[in-house]
PDB file of all heavy atoms in Angstrom:
ATOM      1  N   VAL A  72     121.665  89.205 307.680  1.00 93.00           N
ATOM      2  CA  VAL A  72     122.086  87.824 307.500  1.00 93.00           C
ATOM      3  C   VAL A  72     121.845  87.314 306.092  1.00 93.00           C
ATOM      4  O   VAL A  72     122.683  86.611 305.557  1.00 93.00           O
ATOM      5  CB  VAL A  72     121.254  86.942 308.533  1.00 93.00           C
ATOM      6  CG1 VAL A  72     121.404  85.449 308.216  1.00 93.00           C
ATOM      7  CG2 VAL A  72     121.613  87.307 309.953  1.00 93.00           C
ATOM      8  N   ASP A 130     116.542  87.069 276.564  1.00 56.00           N
ATOM      9  CA  ASP A 130     117.502  86.470 277.509  1.00 56.00           C
ATOM     10  C   ASP A 130     117.150  85.061 277.815  1.00 56.00           C
ATOM     11  O   ASP A 130     115.988  84.783 278.279  1.00 56.00           O
ATOM     12  CB  ASP A 130     117.472  87.323 278.810  1.00 56.00           C
ATOM     13  CG  ASP A 130     118.200  88.687 278.630  1.00 56.00           C
ATOM     14  OD1 ASP A 130     118.927  88.815 277.635  1.00 56.00           O
ATOM     15  OD2 ASP A 130     118.022  89.632 279.446  1.00 56.00           O
ATOM     16  N   CYS A 186     122.605  67.216 288.123  1.00 95.00           N
ATOM     17  CA  CYS A 186     123.360  67.598 289.281  1.00 95.00           C
ATOM     18  C   CYS A 186     122.457  67.631 290.492  1.00 95.00           C
ATOM     19  O   CYS A 186     122.894  67.143 291.571  1.00 95.00           O
ATOM     20  CB  CYS A 186     123.955  69.059 289.008  1.00 95.00           C
ATOM     21  SG  CYS A 186     125.237  69.099 287.900  1.00 95.00           S
ATOM     22  N   VAL A 196     123.351  59.869 302.107  1.00 95.00           N
ATOM     23  CA  VAL A 196     124.460  59.127 302.705  1.00 95.00           C
ATOM     24  C   VAL A 196     124.677  59.599 304.149  1.00 95.00           C
ATOM     25  O   VAL A 196     124.979  58.786 305.062  1.00 95.00           O
ATOM     26  CB  VAL A 196     125.750  59.291 301.859  1.00 95.00           C
ATOM     27  CG1 VAL A 196     126.924  58.637 302.473  1.00 95.00           C
ATOM     28  CG2 VAL A 196     125.463  58.738 300.483  1.00 95.00           C
ATOM     29  N   CYS A 291     124.359  49.192 297.644  1.00 96.00           N
ATOM     30  CA  CYS A 291     124.234  47.711 297.894  1.00 96.00           C
ATOM     31  C   CYS A 291     125.581  47.031 297.940  1.00 96.00           C
ATOM     32  O   CYS A 291     125.640  45.940 298.481  1.00 96.00           O
ATOM     33  CB  CYS A 291     123.274  47.090 296.931  1.00 96.00           C
ATOM     34  SG  CYS A 291     121.547  47.705 297.062  1.00 96.00           S
ATOM     35  N   VAL A 312     108.343  52.902 298.274  1.00 97.00           N
ATOM     36  CA  VAL A 312     108.082  53.935 297.195  1.00 97.00           C
ATOM     37  C   VAL A 312     107.290  53.265 296.108  1.00 97.00           C
ATOM     38  O   VAL A 312     106.381  53.859 295.542  1.00 97.00           O
ATOM     39  CB  VAL A 312     109.408  54.463 296.706  1.00 97.00           C
ATOM     40  CG1 VAL A 312     109.208  55.452 295.473  1.00 97.00           C
ATOM     41  CG2 VAL A 312     110.190  55.156 297.805  1.00 97.00           C
ATOM     42  N   LEU A 348     103.945  41.211 295.903  1.00 97.00           N
ATOM     43  CA  LEU A 348     102.945  41.390 294.794  1.00 97.00           C
ATOM     44  C   LEU A 348     101.770  40.415 295.045  1.00 97.00           C
ATOM     45  O   LEU A 348     100.657  40.686 294.810  1.00 97.00           O
ATOM     46  CB  LEU A 348     103.631  41.211 293.475  1.00 97.00           C
ATOM     47  CG  LEU A 348     104.548  42.397 293.009  1.00 97.00           C
ATOM     48  CD1 LEU A 348     105.334  41.913 291.807  1.00 97.00           C
ATOM     49  CD2 LEU A 348     103.872  43.678 292.798  1.00 97.00           C
ATOM     50  N   THR A 404      79.537  28.853 289.831  1.00 70.00           N
ATOM     51  CA  THR A 404      78.219  28.377 289.901  1.00 70.00           C
ATOM     52  C   THR A 404      77.179  29.402 290.614  1.00 70.00           C
ATOM     53  O   THR A 404      76.019  29.055 290.729  1.00 70.00           O
ATOM     54  CB  THR A 404      78.129  27.057 290.652  1.00 70.00           C
ATOM     55  OG1 THR A 404      78.655  27.199 291.984  1.00 70.00           O
ATOM     56  CG2 THR A 404      78.854  26.002 289.877  1.00 70.00           C
ATOM     57  N   THR A 489      87.908  26.963 269.729  1.00 89.00           N
ATOM     58  CA  THR A 489      86.458  26.902 269.691  1.00 89.00           C
ATOM     59  C   THR A 489      85.945  28.115 270.503  1.00 89.00           C
ATOM     60  O   THR A 489      85.044  28.744 270.078  1.00 89.00           O
ATOM     61  CB  THR A 489      85.867  25.581 270.280  1.00 89.00           C
ATOM     62  OG1 THR A 489      86.536  24.492 269.585  1.00 89.00           O
ATOM     63  CG2 THR A 489      84.418  25.548 270.155  1.00 89.00           C
ATOM     64  N   SER A 532     120.734  53.947 280.031  1.00 95.00           N
ATOM     65  CA  SER A 532     120.414  53.118 281.254  1.00 95.00           C
ATOM     66  C   SER A 532     120.036  51.694 280.831  1.00 95.00           C
ATOM     67  O   SER A 532     120.106  50.790 281.688  1.00 95.00           O
ATOM     68  CB  SER A 532     119.289  53.762 281.975  1.00 95.00           C
ATOM     69  OG  SER A 532     118.222  54.258 281.172  1.00 95.00           O
TER      70      SER A 532
END
Side-chain angles (χ1 to χ4, degrees):
V72 172
D130 287 344
C186 290
V196 176
C291 295
V312 177
L348 293 169
T404 55
T489 305
S532 45

